[in-house]
């Protein structure tokens, strides 16, 4: 940008999402395994069309939407794993379709004590970086637009709203700039009313070409002096 390079940092992730950025690295060893047995052991049952360790998000929502009354601790844990797995597939580590999730993430939910110790925030950021890099590389090597972007795009949007005041939404009720704070900080945008810009790609390009101010921290802005 005209004022220099900017990017999402680990501090941004921790502040906006509340996810831990310190802890064990999220590394999944995926040898040749019987995914059907893994799914049944950790979720209680498995879809009929299980293929290559990938399950549909719709299947998770259909079978784990309502926890039965007086559910045992084992069933409660299965529902909790299914909920966490759907979050990973829809929000934290979504692919370009946002329709499926790999059971490799389920292996990280086997032991809840271990699950709490992972650096989830750092992993989310690394995954988003990889998806953005993949998209840009694809766009530079072909004439296509590169396809859809995977990763937690809401994090990218929240970061942009925090750093670029001119594009931030207003309060859905008062139509005033949003000033209330919350933790995680990204929650303060819940009453946001997103602006309907329509097809204004040129306007956005012009905006970023002329950008001279960016918020680097709470109530602190950096201005380009050139």
């Amino acid at each position: 940008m005209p004022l220099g390079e900017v990017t999402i940092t680990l501090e941004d992730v921790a502040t906006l999402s509340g996810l831990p950025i310190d802890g064990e690295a999220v590394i999944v060893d995926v040898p040749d395994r019987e995914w059907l047995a893994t799914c049944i052991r950790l979720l209680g049952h498995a879809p009929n069309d299980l293929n290559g360790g990938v399950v549909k998000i719709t299947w998770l929502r259909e079978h784990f939407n309502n926890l039965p009354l007086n559910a045992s601790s084992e069933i409660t844990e299965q529902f909790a794993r299914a909920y966490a797995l759907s979050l990973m597939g829809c929000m934290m580590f979504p692919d370009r379709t946002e329709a499926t999730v790999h059971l490799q993430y389920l292996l990280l939910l086997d032991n809840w004590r271990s699950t709490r110790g992972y650096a989830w925030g750092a992993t989310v950021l690394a995954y988003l970086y990889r998806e953005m890099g993949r998209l840009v590389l694809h766009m530079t090597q072909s004439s296509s637009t590169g396809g859809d972007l995977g990763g937690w795009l809401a994090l990218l949007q929240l970061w942009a709203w925090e750093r670029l005041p001119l594009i931030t939404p207003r309060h859905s009720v008062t139509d005033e700039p949003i000033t209330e704070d919350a933790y995680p900080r990204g929650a303060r945008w819940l009453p946001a009313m997103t602006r309907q810009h329509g097809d204004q790609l040129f306007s956005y390009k012009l905006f970023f070409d002329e950008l001279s101010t960016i918020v680097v921290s709470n109530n602190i802005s950096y201005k380009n002096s050139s």
Side-chain angles (χ1 to χ4, degrees):
M1 296 184 181
L3 48 75
E5 295 183 356
V6 293
T7 189
I8 307 173
T9 67
L10 286 174
E11 181 182 9
D12 291 323
V13 177
T15 303
L16 290 171
S17 71
L19 292 173
I21 58 176
D22 295 318
E24 295 293 326
V26 179
I27 301 175
V28 182
D29 182 19
V30 190
D32 293 333
R33 63 171 64 244
E34 183 57 56
W35 289 113
L36 178 62
T38 300
C39 192
I40 294 177
R41 179 173 67 87
L42 296 178
L43 294 182
H45 52 286
N48 296 327
D49 57 349
L50 181 62
N51 183 23
V54 175
V55 297
K56 296 179 180 178
I57 301 296
T58 53
W59 178 82
L60 290 172
R61 292 174 176 172
E62 178 182 354
H63 289 82
F64 298 94
N65 187 39
N66 296 306
L67 181 66
L69 295 175
N70 302 319
S72 65
S73 59
E74 180 182 7
I75 293 179
T76 302
E77 286 196 9
Q78 292 170 354
F79 270 71
R81 291 192 187 100
Y83 176 72
L85 186 63
S86 65
L87 285 181
M88 293 178 182
C90 293
M91 186 175 70
M92 297 170 65
F93 312 112
D95 59 18
R96 284 167 285 175
T97 68
E98 297 186 2
T100 61
V101 59
H102 200 284
L103 291 177
Q104 61 179 339
Y105 299 117
L106 186 60
L107 299 176
L108 300 169
L109 305 173
D110 191 354
N111 186 309
W112 290 113
R113 181 167 298 182
S114 299
T115 302
R116 295 176 56 187
Y118 288 119
W120 293 109
T123 310
V124 163
L125 183 59
Y127 188 92
L128 179 60
Y129 275 163
R130 188 185 68 177
E131 286 295 305
M132 294 171 66
R134 176 199 57 78
L135 180 64
V136 171
L137 181 62
H138 187 89
M139 293 173 64
T140 56
Q141 293 181 346
S142 68
S143 58
S144 68
T145 58
D148 296 327
L149 176 63
W152 191 6
L153 301 186
L155 175 63
L156 182 61
Q157 182 179 41
L158 291 174
W159 174 84
W161 285 353
E162 291 283 345
R163 303 306 186 193
L164 308 172
L166 290 180
I167 67 172
T168 57
R170 306 176 77 83
H171 200 287
S172 58
V173 177
T174 64
D175 196 32
E176 296 292 330
I178 294 178
T179 57
E180 59 258 35
D181 209 347
Y183 183 79
R185 187 170 171 83
R188 78 190 189 105
W189 296 106
L190 288 177
M193 176 178 61
T194 56
R195 304 173 185 178
Q196 301 297 322
H197 293 284
D199 186 13
Q200 298 183 0
L201 180 59
F202 176 78
S203 299
Y204 272 103
K205 289 182 177 180
L206 184 62
F207 166 76
F208 284 109
D209 286 342
E210 298 179 349
L211 185 65
S212 60
T213 303
I214 185 170
V215 178
V216 295
S217 64
N218 196 14
N219 299 324
I220 300 178
S221 300
Y222 170 77
K223 295 184 178 181
N224 187 9
S225 59
S226 60

